[in-house]
Amino acid sequence: MMQTLLDFDLRVMAPELTIVVVAALLMILDLLLKETVSKRWMGIFGLIAILAAGVFVGMGWGHEPYQILGDSYRIDHLSLTLKAILLAGTALVFLFSFRKDEELKAESEYYSLLLTALLGAMIMVSSAELITLFVGLELLSLSSYILAGIRKKRTDATEAAWKYVVLGGASSAFILYGMSFLYGLTGSTHLFEIRDRVAEVAATDYQLFLFLSFFLMMVGFGFKISSVPFHTWVPDVYQGASTPVAVFLAVVSKAAAFALVLRILLGAYIPLVSNGVWNEVISWTLMIMAAASMIVGNTVALRQTNAKRLMAYSSIANAGYLLVPPATMGFVGYDLFPSLVYYLIAYLFMTAGAFVVIEVVGKEVGTYDLKAFSGLYQRSPGLAVIMTLFLLSLAGLPVTAGFVGKFYILMSAVAGSHHWLALIMIITTVISYYYYFRIARHIYFRKAGEVGKLNVPWAVMAVIGIGCLGTLLLGLMPDYFFQALGDLDWMSAFSQAANSSP
């Protein structure tokens, strides 16, 4: 009997439905309203929708995993946790965007595109089927391409968007090609059915094609998570795009990309753990990418003089740190999920906060060069201290969220007996001190120019305050967060739900 959408409990999709309805409504209202009408209220409307979606995500806690739409869409602890991170990151971007930006002319389209990009990311974290995953990925990607170049009169923004769309399209092609091999080998696009057949394929002469599907998809995944050697687009896009868009790409898009990696690798290839193939091929591939990202990201950042490009290479290095837990999962187990999620949350607060301070200082001085921070402590002592906190956390120094996150990730490498990877983490973290403290040196030991006291809008100050509070709480009370994350059943994210659609 043919089923319709009404046959399913669509309350589990309330967060996604809220976002898609409001995004469509904003597009329609933009067509009906006159151009002279201020579009600032659209951002407020979008922020309210994000907060409402966050409430629906919170209401989903405490329930067993649930699957609808032919078991292609899944609600579990992993998807709910990642959706909370995505919504929090996008909410900060919306709040940050309320500042006055003379270069942003397409204000209504900007907010609509942010919502559609968020929708694509939310679809990715809940998908249990290759086609649905790819649809969410493309919705996120296409919206991000336009957002990167939405300031049409800026040549650097146009260049960034062009590079982003060309390389992004190529990476999507690699992912789709890899998925086609996986479908051809298993005869299904459902991750759970693929998982059940992968072990059989691995025992046949088609094992090499199974590895080919993995390597093809890892090329695309590497681009999406901005890991080496697929990172070349990151500095140009982060520098050319507006700072709120750079925050969105660094935090929301990266978190969604890691969800994509986890869903496919642990949902489809996990049977390879039992015969040792996972540890011999998949884990080593991820570890090499992690090590390369940490080395290249931190060493190339040493030569950067533009603050946004420096943060871009910092993002590449952090992609390497985030790859360590899934890389060592075959040796240690699912207990590594709390460390990965914790660092994603910490990365959200400290990266968003640092980018916002860079934007405030850069706009006031008229340049994003590191010298813009000269004498910041004299001009705005409070902002200087807060930026120092973000830098300490990004560098991974004690009593900060970044330190706790990197420590637990380091322990995962040690627990897996990969001491060389742990050593690379330590060395590259020490290297990062130099370029992070270059900013601190300008803040405290360089004389201020003729620029007066900084004027920080309330919305921007709110984002900075939230980032500061989150960084401090995660650093001072990590046990509370790890206990909450440790109580979640992460294994259920990769097992067939008992409560699924008929």
Side-chain angles (χ1 to χ4, degrees):
M1 181 178 178
M2 184 176 294
Q3 296 174 350
T4 66
L5 287 176
L6 298 179
D7 295 321
F8 306 109
D9 185 2
L10 292 180
R11 289 177 297 178
V12 298
M13 292 188 68
E16 291 86 346
L17 293 175
T18 301
I19 298 300
V20 71
V21 167
V22 173
L25 187 59
L26 289 181
M27 294 178 188
I28 294 172
L29 290 176
D30 182 42
L31 293 174
L32 298 177
L33 294 176
K34 296 180 179 180
E35 293 184 2
T36 55
V37 177
S38 174
K39 305 297 176 61
R40 187 61 53 88
W41 62 271
M42 288 188 172
I44 299 175
F45 193 20
L47 180 59
I48 293 173
I50 293 172
L51 296 177
V55 172
F56 288 127
V57 168
M59 292 170 61
W61 289 100
H63 301 287
E64 293 295 322
Y66 190 89
Q67 293 175 187
I68 63 173
L69 305 176
D71 294 346
S72 65
Y73 206 77
R74 181 180 179 84
I75 310 300
D76 51 40
H77 287 135
L78 177 64
S79 65
L80 291 173
T81 303
L82 291 174
K83 282 179 188 177
I85 296 174
L86 298 176
L87 289 167
T90 310
L92 291 179
V93 172
F94 264 76
L95 198 57
F96 182 24
S97 301
F98 291 160
R99 82 201 192 291
K100 189 175 181 180
D101 189 351
E102 300 293 343
E103 296 178 341
L104 182 60
K105 303 301 181 181
E107 194 171 6
S108 56
E109 291 90 341
Y110 169 77
Y111 291 120
S112 300
L113 287 167
L114 279 176
L115 290 178
T116 55
L118 171 62
L119 177 64
M122 294 174 71
I123 292 174
M124 287 169 61
V125 303
S126 275
S127 295
E129 201 260 352
L130 295 180
I131 297 176
T132 313
L133 275 168
F134 191 75
V135 169
L137 173 64
E138 286 306 286
L139 182 58
L140 169 62
S141 299
L142 293 174
S143 301
S144 299
Y145 301 153
I146 303 172
L147 285 170
I150 199 166
R151 297 185 299 176
K152 294 180 290 185
K153 294 184 178 181
R154 291 282 300 267
T155 55
D156 55 350
T158 304
E159 180 185 355
W162 176 246
K163 291 180 179 179
Y164 195 17
V165 70
V166 171
L167 294 176
S171 69
S172 295
F174 274 100
I175 293 175
L176 196 59
Y177 196 27
M179 287 181 174
S180 69
F181 273 101
L182 200 57
Y183 169 72
L185 292 168
T186 61
S188 176
T189 58
H190 286 269
L191 291 178
F192 297 113
E193 295 179 9
I194 292 173
R195 180 193 60 193
D196 294 338
R197 299 169 188 173
V198 159
E200 301 175 6
V201 175
T204 67
D205 295 335
Y206 294 102
Q207 186 183 65
L208 291 178
F209 289 99
L210 192 63
F211 295 154
L212 179 60
S213 70
F214 164 72
F215 286 119
L216 285 171
M217 283 191 283
M218 282 311 304
V219 172
F221 294 159
F223 175 90
K224 302 302 180 183
I225 63 178
S226 64
S227 69
V228 175
F230 314 105
H231 66 289
T232 53
W233 62 275
V234 181
D236 292 333
V237 173
Y238 282 24
Q239 182 180 6
S242 64
T243 305
V245 173
V247 173
F248 184 87
L249 296 176
V251 176
V252 178
S253 183
K254 189 183 291 289
F258 270 96
L260 175 67
V261 173
L262 292 175
R263 282 293 184 195
I264 292 184
L265 292 188
L266 302 183
Y269 293 94
I270 200 64
L272 300 179
V273 173
S274 59
N275 59 12
V277 175
W278 175 284
N279 292 345
E280 294 173 1
V281 178
I282 296 179
S283 286
W284 274 98
T285 301
L286 295 177
M287 284 190 288
I288 291 172
M289 290 177 64
S293 299
M294 289 185 282
I295 294 171
V296 173
N298 283 304
T299 54
V300 179
L302 296 174
R303 299 178 57 86
Q304 302 306 310
T305 58
N306 183 284
K308 292 177 73 173
R309 291 185 72 89
L310 186 148
M311 288 299 296
Y313 283 103
S314 171
S315 175
I316 294 167
N318 277 288
Y321 299 133
L322 287 165
L323 275 173
V324 174
T328 57
M329 198 166 294
F331 299 90
V332 181
Y334 287 91
D335 292 338
L336 298 179
F337 270 104
S339 63
L340 175 63
V341 174
Y342 178 91
Y343 196 74
L344 275 175
I345 299 172
Y347 179 73
L348 160 66
F349 288 119
M350 60 190 183
T351 301
F355 263 114
V356 172
V357 176
I358 289 173
E359 176 69 7
V360 171
V361 175
K363 280 292 184 182
E364 192 74 21
V365 178
T367 177
Y368 291 105
D369 195 275
L370 296 184
K371 64 183 180 182
F373 288 90
S374 298
L376 180 62
Y377 183 73
Q378 303 169 23
R379 291 179 281 152
S380 179
L383 199 62
V385 172
I386 292 174
M387 184 60 178
T388 305
L389 172 65
F390 294 141
L391 293 174
L392 292 175
S393 186
L394 286 166
L397 289 177
V399 201
T400 62
F403 169 77
V404 177
K406 288 183 179 179
F407 175 79
Y408 278 95
I409 290 176
L410 178 68
M411 289 300 101
S412 69
V414 174
S417 298
H418 296 292
H419 300 100
W420 65 273
L421 187 60
L423 182 62
I424 289 176
M425 281 193 64
I426 295 173
I427 294 175
T428 54
T429 298
V430 173
I431 291 174
S432 71
Y433 295 166
Y434 178 81
Y435 62 82
Y436 287 130
F437 291 162
R438 282 178 64 195
I439 301 178
R441 184 175 60 186
H442 280 281
I443 292 175
Y444 295 101
F445 302 109
R446 294 289 186 270
K447 293 183 179 180
E450 299 180 357
V451 181
K453 188 176 180 180
L454 292 176
N455 180 26
V456 184
W458 69 269
V460 175
M461 185 56 70
V463 177
I464 294 174
I466 294 171
C468 181
L469 183 63
T471 303
L472 283 174
L473 290 179
L474 286 169
L476 296 175
M477 298 187 298
D479 292 341
Y480 173 81
F481 293 96
F482 273 105
Q483 182 178 356
L485 294 172
D487 291 339
L488 300 178
D489 182 12
W490 299 107
M491 284 287 291
S492 65
F494 304 99
S495 59
Q496 188 76 14
N499 185 16
S500 58
S501 57

